[in-house]
Short mmCIF file of all heavy atoms in Angstrom, two decimals:
data_model
loop_
_atom_site.label_atom_id
_atom_site.label_comp_id
_atom_site.label_asym_id
_atom_site.label_seq_id
_atom_site.Cartn_x
_atom_site.Cartn_y
_atom_site.Cartn_z
N ALA A 269 -50.59 -99.86 173.64
CA ALA A 269 -50.92 -98.78 172.71
C ALA A 269 -49.70 -98.34 171.90
O ALA A 269 -49.78 -98.11 170.70
CB ALA A 269 -51.49 -97.59 173.48
N LEU A 270 -48.53 -98.24 172.58
CA LEU A 270 -47.32 -97.83 171.89
C LEU A 270 -46.89 -98.85 170.84
O LEU A 270 -46.44 -98.51 169.74
CB LEU A 270 -46.19 -97.63 172.90
CG LEU A 270 -46.26 -96.37 173.75
CD1 LEU A 270 -45.19 -96.41 174.82
CD2 LEU A 270 -46.11 -95.12 172.90
N LEU A 271 -47.03 -100.13 171.19
CA LEU A 271 -46.60 -101.19 170.28
C LEU A 271 -47.79 -101.76 169.53
O LEU A 271 -47.94 -102.96 169.36
CB LEU A 271 -45.89 -102.30 171.08
CG LEU A 271 -44.67 -101.82 171.88
CD1 LEU A 271 -44.06 -102.97 172.66
CD2 LEU A 271 -43.62 -101.20 170.95
N LEU A 272 -48.66 -100.85 169.07
CA LEU A 272 -49.86 -101.24 168.35
C LEU A 272 -49.50 -102.02 167.09
O LEU A 272 -48.67 -101.60 166.29
CB LEU A 272 -50.66 -99.99 167.97
CG LEU A 272 -51.98 -100.21 167.24
CD1 LEU A 272 -52.95 -100.95 168.14
CD2 LEU A 272 -52.58 -98.88 166.80
N ASP A 273 -50.14 -103.15 166.93
CA ASP A 273 -49.81 -104.05 165.83
C ASP A 273 -50.84 -103.93 164.72
O ASP A 273 -52.02 -104.24 164.90
CB ASP A 273 -49.79 -105.50 166.36
CG ASP A 273 -49.01 -106.42 165.44
OD1 ASP A 273 -48.82 -106.04 164.27
OD2 ASP A 273 -48.60 -107.49 165.90
N ARG A 274 -50.39 -103.47 163.55
CA ARG A 274 -51.29 -103.32 162.40
C ARG A 274 -51.17 -104.48 161.43
O ARG A 274 -51.63 -104.39 160.30
CB ARG A 274 -50.93 -102.03 161.64
CG ARG A 274 -51.22 -100.75 162.38
CD ARG A 274 -50.86 -99.56 161.51
NE ARG A 274 -51.28 -99.74 160.12
CZ ARG A 274 -51.03 -98.87 159.16
NH1 ARG A 274 -50.35 -97.78 159.42
NH2 ARG A 274 -51.43 -99.09 157.93
N VAL A 275 -50.56 -105.56 161.86
CA VAL A 275 -50.24 -106.61 160.90
C VAL A 275 -51.49 -107.21 160.27
O VAL A 275 -51.49 -107.53 159.07
CB VAL A 275 -49.38 -107.71 161.57
CG1 VAL A 275 -50.15 -108.43 162.68
CG2 VAL A 275 -48.90 -108.70 160.53
N GLU A 276 -52.58 -107.35 161.01
CA GLU A 276 -53.79 -107.93 160.42
C GLU A 276 -54.33 -107.03 159.32
O GLU A 276 -54.77 -107.51 158.27
CB GLU A 276 -54.84 -108.17 161.50
CG GLU A 276 -54.47 -109.31 162.43
CD GLU A 276 -55.55 -109.56 163.45
OE1 GLU A 276 -56.49 -110.32 163.16
OE2 GLU A 276 -55.47 -108.97 164.54
N TYR A 277 -54.30 -105.73 159.57
CA TYR A 277 -54.74 -104.78 158.55
C TYR A 277 -53.86 -104.88 157.30
O TYR A 277 -54.34 -104.91 156.17
CB TYR A 277 -54.71 -103.37 159.12
CG TYR A 277 -54.96 -102.27 158.11
CD1 TYR A 277 -56.24 -102.01 157.64
CD2 TYR A 277 -53.91 -101.48 157.63
CE1 TYR A 277 -56.48 -101.01 156.72
CE2 TYR A 277 -54.13 -100.47 156.71
CZ TYR A 277 -55.42 -100.24 156.26
OH TYR A 277 -55.64 -99.25 155.33
N ASP A 278 -52.53 -104.94 157.52
CA ASP A 278 -51.60 -105.03 156.40
C ASP A 278 -51.79 -106.34 155.63
O ASP A 278 -51.76 -106.35 154.38
CB ASP A 278 -50.16 -104.93 156.89
CG ASP A 278 -49.82 -103.55 157.43
OD1 ASP A 278 -50.55 -102.59 157.06
OD2 ASP A 278 -48.87 -103.42 158.20
N LEU A 279 -51.99 -107.44 156.36
CA LEU A 279 -52.21 -108.72 155.69
C LEU A 279 -53.52 -108.72 154.91
O LEU A 279 -53.59 -109.27 153.80
CB LEU A 279 -52.20 -109.86 156.71
CG LEU A 279 -50.82 -110.27 157.23
CD1 LEU A 279 -50.97 -111.24 158.40
CD2 LEU A 279 -49.98 -110.91 156.13
N ASP A 280 -54.55 -108.12 155.48
CA ASP A 280 -55.84 -108.04 154.77
C ASP A 280 -55.70 -107.25 153.48
O ASP A 280 -56.26 -107.64 152.43
CB ASP A 280 -56.90 -107.40 155.66
CG ASP A 280 -57.43 -108.35 156.73
OD1 ASP A 280 -57.21 -109.57 156.58
OD2 ASP A 280 -58.03 -107.88 157.70
N ARG A 281 -54.97 -106.16 153.52
CA ARG A 281 -54.73 -105.37 152.30
C ARG A 281 -53.97 -106.19 151.27
O ARG A 281 -54.29 -106.16 150.07
CB ARG A 281 -53.94 -104.11 152.64
CG ARG A 281 -54.74 -103.03 153.33
CD ARG A 281 -53.91 -101.79 153.51
NE ARG A 281 -53.42 -101.26 152.22
CZ ARG A 281 -52.48 -100.34 152.11
NH1 ARG A 281 -51.89 -99.86 153.19
NH2 ARG A 281 -52.11 -99.90 150.93
N MET A 282 -52.95 -106.92 151.72
CA MET A 282 -52.17 -107.72 150.79
C MET A 282 -53.02 -108.82 150.15
O MET A 282 -52.94 -109.07 148.94
CB MET A 282 -50.96 -108.33 151.52
CG MET A 282 -49.97 -109.04 150.60
SD MET A 282 -48.65 -109.84 151.53
CE MET A 282 -49.55 -111.26 152.19
#
Side-chain angles (χ1 to χ4, degrees):
L270 285 172
L271 302 178
L272 181 65
D273 200 341
R274 292 182 42 184
V275 64
E276 289 182 87
Y277 172 76
D278 292 340
L279 284 171
D280 284 343
R281 285 185 58 193
M282 188 184 75

